[in-house]
Amino acid sequence: MPIRHKATEAGILQPSELELLGRVFQQLKLDGQSPEAREALASRIIANYMAGVVDEAELVSLSRQPLGR
């Protein structure tokens, strides 16, 4: 995935962080989900991670809910 390479090169996220975020996204995405819905899901995952949630199970649980809940 090109975004992983770009994020690593830019020093934004470490490979282990990208792997965690990828695993969480894979667990939560749905077949047939629109690109907009997937983008919103990715945004929730990243927002929760940036807010300090680093436990995978907790990140999955919180990212199922809309932001601000």
Side-chain angles (χ1 to χ4, degrees):
M1 184 185 283
I3 191 72
R4 288 180 189 214
H5 182 68
K6 289 180 181 181
T8 302
E9 275 187 349
I12 297 170
L13 295 169
Q14 298 299 313
S16 60
E17 294 172 306
L18 288 170
E19 289 173 15
L20 169 67
L21 296 173
R23 285 192 309 270
V24 171
F25 183 78
Q26 290 298 319
Q27 290 179 55
L28 294 175
K29 73 176 184 154
L30 302 172
D31 290 335
Q33 198 171 30
S34 72
E36 293 81 13
R38 286 187 181 199
E39 186 174 324
L41 171 61
S43 294
R44 287 196 310 271
I45 293 168
I46 292 169
N48 286 324
Y49 182 78
M50 298 305 286
V53 180
V54 295
D55 178 73
E56 188 169 338
E58 187 177 5
L59 193 53
V60 168
S61 177
L62 288 174
S63 297
R64 283 189 172 111
Q65 304 170 19
L67 290 175
R69 299 251 170 164

